[in-house]
Each structure stands twice: as structure tokens, then as C-alpha cells.
Amino acid sequence: MDPLDSSESRLVESANAAENAESSLPWARFSSWLECVCVVTFDLELGQAIELVYPHDVKLTEKEKTSICYLSFPDSYSGCLGDTQFSFRLRQSVGRRGSWFGEEDAYSRDAPVTLQRELAHFYGYVYFRQVKDASVKRGYFQKSLVLVSRLPYVHLFQSLLQIIAPEYFEKLEPCLEAVCNEIDQWQSPVPGLTLNLPVMGVVMQVRIPSKNDKPGGSPEKQAQKENLLPAPMMLPTIHELDLFKCFQSFLIHLQMLWELMLLGEPVVVMAPSPTVSSETVLALVSSIAPLRYCCDYRPYFTIHDTEFKEYTTRTQAPPNVILGVTNPFFIKTFQSWPHIIRLGELKMSGDLPKQVKVKKLAKLKTLDTKPGIYTAHKMFLQKDKSLIKRLLKGIQRKRPSEVQSAILRRHLLELTQSFIIPLERYLASLMPLQRSVTPWKTPPQIRPFSQEEFMGTLEHAGPQLTSVLKGDWVGLYRKFFRSPNFDGWYRLRHREMTQKLECLHLEVICDADLLGWTKDKSEVEIVDLVLKLREKLMKAGKQQLPVKEGVLEKLEGYLQTVISSLPEDLQTVLHRY
């Protein structure tokens, strides 16, 4: 059998198992994609107000409802007429119970770290319409349709809104109910599978990325035997943005912005509209993929936000967060922040969009501040001039934006990988040798991470092996070690390594002669072994450890054989335990 076929059939099996487990819960499939759908309208007396939440039994706290109201309308300074789409990210209320899925669910296990479900935040995907309407007192129809989700699928959900929002604004609630019922029929997102998602007579075909995908590679070809209907609307990605469009006014400073993201520095993006604000923030966060950005980020942030006071206090250093804003009021509020990206309306100068300049922070005092990157950041690495030349040539030759974006994404991926590979290589050296894992002892410990020891490896096995960029790589690593991104990366990798050790230990026990071992052991020692093995098996099941196929079943069989070798009274006790 083709190995790809067997892996795909396993995916389909796990998907079917997940479907069966879900089908008994109301709105379970819907919940695996969306938390809820909200309609936000403008009320003359109340201002922004939630008109409708669907499904009706979804529990949003008052604080969450207020935040969604303010974040779903463009700031009055944005002057958005017509239809506008943008995204926001909002902190969940403290003490809120998670959704029906657990932290250890199969999706989180198999999805790339950058596409994990959020456990403490919601994403909001907004479609806002503002048109003149003489029948309304203020003279304008103003309404937003908002998809609230824990998944960072920006491209998929904005595409979905383009299908359903115009219809909703015409036909209102019955239309929304029908759409939610359709979404509740969708198969849950399973990393590695291609899905057909029908809605309003359109079928969107999407592939859910898997952590086993080769970074930067094209998605694996799906086997034809999945019987997918021909889908009229194929989305090439569920989460990627048009990077070239997002970065075109500061292409020459890309290297600097990558460093600021890697180091988790506090950054404010001041943009002319919520669309530019949210897309720029999300593009910046994605620039260090496949590394997960572990700091907070708000693609669109307003003065009504509940964290406004927390983020604007002058008595402490700014927190590790990227804020996307549109209100000019923020220029004064954030003038003490170390890094500010001020974007204007996009202007072309010749063939190249007008590039913003890097300016001193002291210049950010007046309200009519010109576009620019206001920072005192000293770059650790030299700029990659060959990338700029290649992109400029692409502009002159009218190369499509998606091709320019692919070049940019590839460059950023290679840059991040050059930085991460030495860390991964050093981390692998901390893992105990496989031969030191024995069945009768607890697994040996992973050696602690020593920054100085790691620095000593850079001369022979540093980024220079994969990157031509010169500069102070050592200084960049030293600063990275103080950032939340290092902490997040290390915790995740340490957990994965611990699980790998657990799996190795289970496999070694499985190959050992358990019955032979019990021959000259006392009953107390045998019972102790049974209890420890039971605990390990339960833990392996709960954490869904990636153990080789058949190992857990084989161990369970051995366990029963060992128990049956004991006196009957003990057997009864152990079976009950």
C-alpha cells in the first residue's frame, strides 16, 4: 500500500471518529469552526449595539459583547463608505469556560503551531457596510456582520463573509439562520484533509494545513479517492495574506521589522483604515513563521478597548504587544512607545510604491506626522539588497502580487529557519541517548538549556551555514532569549521532547519480557509495576502521545497477563482499581 494512502486513510478515520463524537452535541460541528455570528448595528440612543447573536444560546459576557460592538465598526476618522472588511482579536473574559473541545484535542495535536486554536482570545472577522439611506434618521445604513472564532483562518472567514454578508444585508435573519445550519453540517477542520464547505449554493474547497507539511512547500496532493465534488471556488490558502500588498510601502525595512517581531518588541501600527491596520498587524505576526509569535497582538484596537488603560499607562515600560490603530488621538498617547509604524494612503512613485523612511522617535510629536517608521532600533543584521532588487524587478515587469508575496514569504521563512536551526540542533543534543532509556527505570531527564553553551556552538554550527546575511547574530540571540517568543518556543519544544521520551519508554517496556521480570519479584513489586504501567497508559491516552501503532494495545495485553498471574483476591482488587 502507498504510505501516503495509508496516512490519508488514517486521517479520514480520525476525522470520522471526531465526527461521531461530536454529532451528539448541539452545534458541535459549528463550534469547531465558529464560536458565534454577531450582527452589530448603530442605534441613535445606544451607539453601537449587538442586534443579534447566533446561535441564540451562545454565552458571551457583557464585557465581550461591548468589546465586539466597538471593534466591529471603523473609527469615525476612517471615513469608510461602502463595504469594508477587517479583523480584530479580543481577550476573553476571565473565568470563561472553554468550548466543548479540550486542550489536548486532535486538531491542536496535528495543526501547525501558528494555526492552533486560541484558548484565551477570540478572533473577529468583520464585514461592515455604510451606505446612504434616506429612510434612516442619521441618513446612513450602518451595520456589521461579524464571525467570531478561535481559529486564525483570516482568508477563509473573510472569503466566507464575501459570500454571505451581501445576501444577509438584503434578507436579514432567516438568511443567517440558514447559513449557520449549513456550517453546522460542515466536517470539522482536520489538519491534512481537503474539505468541501457548501454555503449559499457555493462550495468552498479548502485544505487544512498540517504540522507535517513541508514549510514553504505546496500542499500535498490529495488522493482522488476522497470523492470530492468539483468545487467551483478553490481557496489556495485558509490563513495567508497578500504579504506584498501589506509590506509594499516598507519593503526596504523588512529586515528591521522581522527583527522587531522576532524579539517581541512593543509596536504600534497607525493606519488610515481598519483594513490596512489589521492586515499589516497580521502580516507582521506571520513574518516569523514557522515560529509562533507568542506576544499579544491586536489587529484593530480602539480607545474603547478594555485594555486601553493597561496599554497606555506611562508609569511602566510598554507591554510586548502589537497594536493596530486608526484614530489620530493615538499619536499623542503612544509617543513614548519605542517603535511606531505610521502608514499613509498608498502612493506610487514611479514603479515602486513610495517607501516610508525610518525616523527618530522625537519627531513623533505633531498631529500631522508624516508616514514613517519611528524607532531607535539598531539592526543586528545587514539588509538583504538582493531581495529588494528582485522585488523591484518584479514591479517593473508587472509580476502578479501573489508571486511577489510568494518570494517574500520564502525569504522570511528562510531567514527564520536560519535563525532557528542552530537552536533546534543544540536542543537535540540535550536529549538523552536512546540506549539510556531502559524499561525498569523512569526515563532520564532532558539536560537544561544553557545559553552560554549554545553560544559556543555558533562558531561551527551557526546561521552562517544557511544564510549569507552578515551581522551580529550573537547579539540577536542574546536579545531573543529575553523575549516571550523564546520562552514560548522552548516550552513547546521541551514538552514535545518530554513526550518523545515517554513514547520511547513505552516502546522499550513493550519490547521487554514483563512476565520474565515478575518471576522472582514479590507481590508488592508486581502490584507496583501494574499501577505504574496503568498510570503511564492512562497518561498516554489522555495526552494522545504519538506512540507507534499497536504499542498501547500490546502493553494493555501484557498488563492483563501479569495481573492474571497474581492470586485471585489481588486480581479482583486490581480489576476494580
Side-chain angles (χ1 to χ4, degrees), residues 60-108:
L60 289 173
T61 66
E62 285 310 309
K63 193 173 168 185
E64 286 164 352
K65 284 181 185 170
T66 305
S67 293
I68 289 169
C69 280
Y70 283 119
L71 289 166
S72 299
F73 268 39
D75 206 292
S76 52
Y77 290 96
S78 305
C80 298
L81 262 181
D83 291 357
T84 304
Q85 285 189 259
F86 58 96
S87 319
F88 62 79
R89 185 169 174 265
L90 121 100
R91 194 184 289 174
Q92 287 176 32
S93 295
V94 179
R96 150 188 275 286
R97 284 189 56 202
S99 224
W100 57 272
F101 45 79
E103 196 173 348
E104 306 281 1
D105 71 324
Y107 173 84
S108 298

Side-chain angles (χ1 to χ4, degrees), residues 38 60 80 82 235 258 280 317 334 351 405 488 519 535 549 560:
C38 299
L60 289 173
C80 298
L235 297 188
W258 175 83
T280 305
F334 288 130
D351 285 326
S405 284
K519 291 281 189 286
E535 194 185 339
E549 221 172 320
Q560 295 312 320

Side-chain angles (χ1 to χ4, degrees), residues 4-21:
L4 184 64
D5 288 356
S6 67
S7 71
E8 274 178 3
S9 62
R10 274 203 301 276
L11 276 176
V12 173
E13 276 169 32
S14 75
N16 292 340
E19 292 296 299
N20 295 336

Side-chain angles (χ1 to χ4, degrees), residues 150 243 286 308 402 439 469 530:
R150 295 171 190 268
L243 280 194
S286 76
F308 176 74
E402 57 265 29
L469 288 189
V530 167

Side-chain angles (χ1 to χ4, degrees), residues 104 109 506 534-545 547 552:
E104 306 281 1
R109 192 190 63 221
L506 282 167
R534 265 230 180 113
E535 194 185 339
K536 282 183 89 68
L537 285 169
M538 278 171 68
K539 196 171 159 190
K542 192 173 171 224
Q543 293 184 356
Q544 299 199 330
L545 292 183
V547 191
L552 298 184

